[in-house]
Amino acid sequence: MSIRTLDDLLAEGVSGRRVLVRADLNVPLDKQTGDITDDGRIRAVLPTLGALVEAGAKVVVCSHLGRPKGAPDPQFSLSPVADRLGELLGAPVHFATDTVGDSARSTVADLADGQVALLENLRFNAGETSKDEAERGAFADQLAAFGDAYVDDAFGAVHRKHASVYDVPARLPHVAGRLVLREVEVLSKLTSEPERPYVVVLGGSKVSDKLAVIEALLPTVDRLLIGGGMCFTFLKAQGLEVGTSLLEKDMVETCRNLLERSEGKIMLPVDVVVADAFAPDAAHDTVRVDGIPSHRLGLDVGPETVAGFAAALSPAKTIFWNGPMGVFEMAAFAAGTRGIAEAITKADAFSVVGGGDSAAAVRALGLDESSFGHISTGGGASLEYLEGKTLPGIAALEN
């Protein structure tokens, strides 16, 4: 990549300069209390913010959270994120109660060297996500006015053609933050010359969400292990009964074609945990995939599948994992995801966890994050990178 980095910016000197940092602080919040349930994305941007603070920059952080409809919505406020970010930085974070309005202008103007401000949710302004280039550009003009330089450290958003990701870099001297640089370095290892055997584990709910990456990976991987809700569409393609399990009927023929073209690379579950209902206390037991009752639904892969997948992972030298094996949020259906995650950590391999629910599962299940080679902060972005797509945020940094 022909991209300038944070170290290039620091070498030029940032003391007293305003540096606008696009971070990905889109953390999950408890719907009842509003508390942050996983601060992984906040921690991920600390190396970049810490370096700028230490160098004496006036740091202006911006991010989105959730999917508000282009107008202020209290349930998506970044206020709790500002509090947590301040705790992690060990200094108060000055919070602007709007994005580019009076509060934002005064908050940025009052910053002293080495202080940090956080603007309110970018998506409270319709210009952030607008497909109208003039509207998006006008919002980018307002954001760019808060910085003398721009740092993109929001890998989880680089696949979006949004104002703060795509348009602002055209208006300011721009560099990649440490997180974005690390993400691209890691993912490029998977797309260039991965050490073999190269094994990919895909889970999650829908085949349609992963179809493009399956198509892109099949020619290059040695084994492709498929679990999660998406496995039932593949099982249906083999002519098996899947009961009331998650099923994309319009994808069955596509899955059949993928299996025929895979040359035996695709490995599917041999047993699953089925339940009477989608509920944490539902009656459940383990059955072979050719014995799923018509009135029950699969919510996890079974122990024989975990053992088989673990055997396929054991000799791997490169592993990419994206998507849980079951409904890990419910204890009764978390064993498959835990088992596969533990198998990945035991392999003598360079392992990459592809963000999203997989990264959340690692933390929710209390697994040692340092046991993995890299845990991505961007599920969708990492998949699109592996598909070979041009990511707007990366392209903007290259220009």
Side-chain angles (χ1 to χ4, degrees):
M1 290 191 313
S2 56
I3 290 179
R4 297 178 72 243
T5 69
L6 179 67
D7 287 339
D8 294 325
L9 181 64
L10 293 172
E12 295 169 0
V14 294
S15 180
R17 297 176 66 193
R18 299 168 307 154
V19 179
L20 181 65
V21 180
R22 176 50 159 107
D24 179 12
L25 306 177
N26 184 28
V27 295
L29 301 175
D30 185 286
K31 290 181 180 178
Q32 263 67 49
T33 65
D35 294 335
I36 296 167
T37 58
D38 180 359
D39 66 1
R41 283 179 171 158
I42 304 175
R43 292 178 179 275
V45 77
L46 293 179
T48 288
L49 297 184
L52 288 167
V53 166
E54 188 176 339
K58 299 176 180 180
V59 186
V60 182
V61 184
C62 60
S63 176
H64 74 283
L65 192 154
R67 296 181 181 273
K69 306 298 184 183
D73 185 337
Q75 67 175 318
F76 295 117
S77 174
L78 281 168
S79 178
V81 175
D83 294 338
R84 182 59 180 146
L85 180 57
E87 291 172 4
L88 293 170
L89 286 172
V93 168
H94 304 269
F95 183 62
T97 57
D98 56 29
T99 305
V100 291
D102 291 341
S103 178
R105 286 190 290 271
S106 62
T107 300
V108 173
D110 291 344
L111 279 180
D113 295 359
Q115 289 188 334
V116 179
L118 175 62
L119 307 180
E120 184 55 284
N121 194 334
L122 291 167
R123 292 186 182 175
F124 284 2
N125 189 304
E128 167 67 358
T129 60
S130 177
K131 290 184 169 52
D132 181 280
E133 294 201 4
E135 183 180 18
R136 212 174 58 236
F139 182 53
D141 288 340
Q142 292 176 291
L143 278 177
F146 293 143
D148 302 306
Y150 170 85
V151 179
D152 189 345
D153 216 27
F155 182 74
V158 294
H159 60 314
R160 307 293 187 192
K161 194 174 182 179
H162 291 169
S164 64
V165 175
Y166 183 75
D167 300 279
V168 171
R171 290 156 168 79
L172 291 172
H174 49 269
V175 302
R178 292 197 169 147
L179 172 62
V180 164
L181 197 63
R182 170 67 176 160
E183 294 271 15
V184 173
E185 287 173 347
V186 165
L187 292 172
S188 65
K189 285 185 181 182
L190 302 183
T191 55
S192 52
E193 293 292 332
E195 191 176 355
R196 297 186 179 280
Y198 177 23
V199 180
V200 171
V201 185
L202 291 180
S205 58
K206 294 182 177 181
V207 178
S208 54
D209 290 343
K210 305 285 172 70
L211 179 61
V213 78
I214 293 172
E215 294 273 12
L217 288 171
L218 263 183
T220 60
V221 302
D222 296 296
R223 298 303 296 273
L224 177 57
L225 318 181
I226 294 179
M230 63 189 286
C231 80
F232 296 103
T233 304
F234 278 93
L235 294 173
K236 189 71 172 180
Q238 292 183 320
L240 298 174
E241 167 68 58
V242 297
T244 59
S245 305
L246 189 62
L247 175 67
E248 290 183 280
K249 292 180 180 178
D250 60 338
M251 296 297 294
V252 171
E253 187 59 33
T254 299
C255 290
R256 187 176 293 118
N257 291 335
L258 286 170
L259 290 169
E260 290 172 357
R261 291 191 285 117
S262 72
E263 300 175 345
K265 290 181 179 180
I266 293 179
M267 190 171 177
L268 296 172
V270 294
D271 63 341
V272 293
V273 180
V274 294
D276 291 342
F278 187 87
D281 56 352
H284 60 277
D285 55 284
T286 303
V287 300
R288 301 283 298 180
V289 292
D290 59 359
I292 299 174
S294 61
H295 64 287
R296 306 188 88 185
L297 73 163
L299 295 179
D300 196 12
V301 297
E304 283 190 49
T305 298
V306 171
F309 281 13
L313 288 162
S314 181
K317 291 299 178 184
T318 305
I319 297 171
F320 176 72
W321 170 35
N322 181 281
M325 296 293 99
V327 188
F328 72 91
E329 298 91 343
M330 301 179 187
F333 313 111
T337 301
R338 179 184 293 279
I340 296 307
E342 290 175 345
I344 291 171
T345 65
K346 291 173 184 173
D348 182 20
F350 175 65
S351 58
V352 178
V353 180
D357 287 340
S358 313
V362 167
R363 290 187 279 267
L365 296 174
L367 302 171
D368 183 2
E369 294 182 48
S370 66
S371 299
F372 301 90
H374 178 70
I375 298 180
S376 178
T377 55
S382 62
L383 288 179
E384 289 195 17
Y385 189 98
L386 294 183
E387 290 167 25
K389 288 185 176 179
T390 296
L391 306 183
I394 301 299
L397 293 176
E398 290 177 321
N399 292 334

